[in-house]
Amino acid sequence: MLGLDIIMCTFSVLSVAARADFKARNCSEVREACVGKGFSFAHVPIQEIPGEHLRVCPQGSTCCTQEMEDKFGQQSKQDFENLVDEMSHELRSTFVSRHERFDEFFLELLENTQRSLNEMFVRTYGKPYMQNSEVFENLFAELKRYYMGGNVNLEEMLNDFWSRLLERMFTLLNSQYVITEDYLECISKYTDQLKPFGDVPRKLKAQVTRAFIAARTFVQGLSVGREVAQRVSKVSSTPACIRALTKMLYCPFCQGMPALKSCRNYCLNVVKGCLANQADLDPEWNLYIDAMLLLAQRLEGPFNIESVMDPIDVKISEAIMNMQDNTAQVSYRVFQGCGQPKPAGMTRSTRGVPDVFSARFRPYSPEERPTTASGTSLDRLVVDIKEKLKLSKKFWSNLPEAMCVEDRVTAGNASDEDCWNGHTQGRYFPEVQKDGLTHQVNNPEVGVDITRPDTQIRQQIMALRVMTNKLKNAYHGNDIYFQDSSDEGSSSGSGSGSTEVGPTDMDVAATEAPVVEADRSGPVVDSAPLCAPSLALPTMLALSTLALHRQWR
């Protein structure tokens, strides 16, 4: 009888143990977790089953079927790519939005400056300007074409502008002569020697060239950063990476622990293996960011395109006034170098009709300048982008750390024992690998072929390297050829037609000169007195006539 009691007691204990073991192997939590994540499986085991069919997760007792593991693999790939996209969203948005802001600002600045110059010159110079406005229109068209990526040599273009302006001014101020195309061509050869506009062209050329090189290169830099960020953030996961991600993210489901998150160091090794090529972008990316920050300093200081373009109409007006003040001297030197042109007939335009060219060239007051482009200033835009650029340094090497944070992928600050280590719940012992492709040779979680770098990543590294070189050159005021993205069929250069417009009586008197033999070696460039002996008598007579004329008026 006692033996029977012992047998019954033993059976009862085994029954309790069996019920406890059955409860531990129940898969109901896994079923609920799968439904919560949107999975739709044909079958989810009620309790654990043998796992010989599994190819990624541990093959002991499992809550996963073959179908479940396959779909977990697909979902792991999608989850990882979405996470990289989410983590890089702010970086990509920064480059997209700042590129748009800077581009809009520079284009609007050009438009405002051109409009301001046109309004000022129409108001100040009237008909003579309107009849020759294409010279200025071509200037701004070429500046815009250069900024938009056109193959424009800024120095040559600006030299051509001043040559065309000299031709038009000389024709206007010497309308008592017949100025032919050949004669104008002769004049243009000696623009640098004559310096009819004083020192303005030289100073303005240096300022405009440096400012436009910096502006265009900086916007090109933002464009390259935008493209690199967009392309590199589109991850193409390898089969080995997908296996590692599945094991990290979903194998806890198969073990009946769907709420268990991975250990942090385990996550770091998996993500560093999957993003090995992206990490290799980081050194070149950091050099590019440093070059962008240096050029941004130039935009704030000596290469500030806003401070150059805002007063450009005033500076051109000063140059025009300088030539008017020195008309007699310039004309005398031109006549010596190119010969004296033939006198024109005494028409209305050669008698200096007051209502045609009577306005004195004058700058306008500062309050008449255009409103700031885009409702902001370049300084504010640069301060903003500098802060954003600084935050983007080391982005790609820091990405694994950013992804393996609490409540996203890992167990975070939980105990080392309360996380998934790839096999079960417990401590993760392997060492965390360093960043980059070559350091993944011994990655315990992801099989990485370090002999086959990602082709697209290498292309982006080269794009950054080329752009960094351009940025460094722009920092020193030097330009590097950009592929012309504009319409090469568009016309460049100024128009060549000239309109006879008579100057005032004073201008006629000041530009009278004796007939001299042409010196084909070029105009005289030595300092000559404004009233040379050969000019004195005609000038005095003209001034006396003008005085009597004004007295009777």
Side-chain angles (χ1 to χ4, degrees), residues 67-125:
E67 177 203 16
M68 292 173 67
E69 188 183 55
D70 290 343
K71 287 192 176 180
F72 283 156
Q74 298 170 12
Q75 189 61 42
S76 296
K77 179 179 184 296
Q78 189 66 48
D79 288 348
F80 182 69
E81 293 175 359
N82 288 345
L83 185 57
V84 173
D85 183 77
E86 179 187 339
M87 297 299 294
S88 62
H89 175 75
E90 185 175 354
L91 177 73
R92 289 179 284 117
S93 296
T94 293
F95 279 92
V96 169
S97 61
R98 270 48 177 193
H99 176 268
E100 290 177 353
R101 289 184 191 177
F102 272 88
D103 190 47
E104 177 187 356
F105 177 86
F106 289 139
L107 289 173
E108 190 174 344
L109 179 65
L110 267 175
E111 181 182 337
N112 283 352
T113 304
Q114 183 175 7
R115 182 172 60 249
S116 172
L117 182 143
N118 182 70
E119 292 172 354
M120 169 192 170
F121 279 32
V122 167
R123 192 167 59 245
T124 304
Y125 308 141

Side-chain angles (χ1 to χ4, degrees), residues 78-324:
Q78 189 66 48
D79 288 348
F80 182 69
E81 293 175 359
N82 288 345
L83 185 57
V84 173
D85 183 77
E86 179 187 339
M87 297 299 294
S88 62
H89 175 75
E90 185 175 354
L91 177 73
R92 289 179 284 117
S93 296
T94 293
F95 279 92
V96 169
S97 61
R98 270 48 177 193
H99 176 268
E100 290 177 353
R101 289 184 191 177
F102 272 88
D103 190 47
E104 177 187 356
F105 177 86
F106 289 139
L107 289 173
E108 190 174 344
L109 179 65
L110 267 175
E111 181 182 337
N112 283 352
T113 304
Q114 183 175 7
R115 182 172 60 249
S116 172
L117 182 143
N118 182 70
E119 292 172 354
M120 169 192 170
F121 279 32
V122 167
R123 192 167 59 245
T124 304
Y125 308 141
K127 188 176 180 181
Y129 163 72
M130 290 186 284
Q131 291 176 328
N132 296 277
S133 61
E134 72 272 13
V135 176
F136 301 91
E137 292 170 359
N138 287 335
L139 168 66
F140 283 96
E142 288 297 280
L143 287 174
K144 182 176 181 179
R145 190 163 77 89
Y146 172 84
Y147 170 75
M148 296 294 289
N151 184 22
V152 177
N153 186 307
L154 283 176
E155 291 194 5
E156 291 181 3
M157 183 272 292
L158 291 168
N159 288 339
D160 183 68
F161 164 73
W162 292 110
S163 295
R164 300 289 81 77
L165 185 58
L166 172 60
E167 293 173 5
R168 300 303 179 91
M169 287 287 299
F170 189 86
T171 301
L172 288 171
L173 296 173
N174 292 277
S175 58
Q176 68 273 30
Y177 296 107
V178 176
I179 307 298
T180 64
E181 291 294 327
D182 290 340
Y183 198 85
L184 290 175
E185 185 176 349
C186 177
I187 295 173
S188 65
K189 294 177 181 178
Y190 303 116
T191 304
D192 291 339
Q193 299 177 41
L194 292 169
K195 290 185 169 48
F197 302 110
D199 207 29
V200 173
R202 182 187 66 82
K203 291 181 178 178
L204 200 58
K205 180 166 64 176
Q207 294 170 347
V208 168
T209 300
R210 293 184 310 181
F212 269 81
I213 289 172
R216 181 172 84 163
T217 307
F218 193 77
V219 171
Q220 287 274 352
L222 290 173
S223 176
V224 168
R226 176 192 64 192
E227 294 302 315
V228 169
Q230 288 178 339
R231 289 170 182 170
V232 175
S233 61
K234 294 186 182 301
V235 179
S236 180
S237 302
T238 64
C241 171
I242 296 172
R243 286 176 59 87
L245 290 169
T246 304
K247 187 176 179 181
M248 179 180 74
L249 297 174
Y250 287 101
C251 283
F253 282 64
C254 298
Q255 295 297 98
M257 299 176 286
L260 188 64
K261 299 289 184 67
S262 68
C263 302
R264 181 175 178 276
N265 287 354
Y266 173 40
C267 174
L268 287 174
N269 275 340
V270 171
V271 177
K272 281 174 182 279
C274 289
L275 297 179
N277 285 281
Q278 280 76 3
D280 278 350
L281 186 80
D282 218 47
E284 204 63 51
W285 175 265
N286 293 336
L287 291 174
Y288 153 77
I289 295 297
D290 287 338
M292 287 287 289
L293 288 169
L294 283 174
L295 189 56
Q297 292 177 9
R298 290 294 206 204
L299 290 177
E300 288 179 305
F303 297 178
N304 188 316
I305 192 173
E306 189 174 25
S307 65
V308 170
M309 293 304 292
D310 192 34
I312 196 171
D313 44 9
V314 176
K315 293 179 180 180
I316 293 175
S317 182
E318 289 172 357
I320 292 173
M321 287 193 294
N322 189 77
M323 178 170 177
Q324 181 182 348

Side-chain angles (χ1 to χ4, degrees), residues 382-412:
V382 172
V383 168
D384 170 72
I385 191 61
K386 282 171 64 178
E387 293 177 356
K388 299 295 184 181
L389 288 171
K390 290 174 183 176
L391 292 174
S392 70
K393 284 196 71 172
K394 298 184 178 180
F395 175 83
W396 304 104
S397 60
N398 287 337
L399 193 53
E401 294 278 353
M403 295 175 70
C404 294
V405 296
E406 185 180 5
D407 296 332
R408 186 178 293 274
V409 177
T410 69

Side-chain angles (χ1 to χ4, degrees), residues 426-444:
R427 184 185 297 270
Y428 181 77
F429 291 99
E431 181 182 359
V432 176
Q433 304 300 297
K434 295 181 180 179
D435 299 313
L437 186 64
T438 57
H439 291 119
Q440 306 311 310
V441 63
N442 294 318
N443 191 308

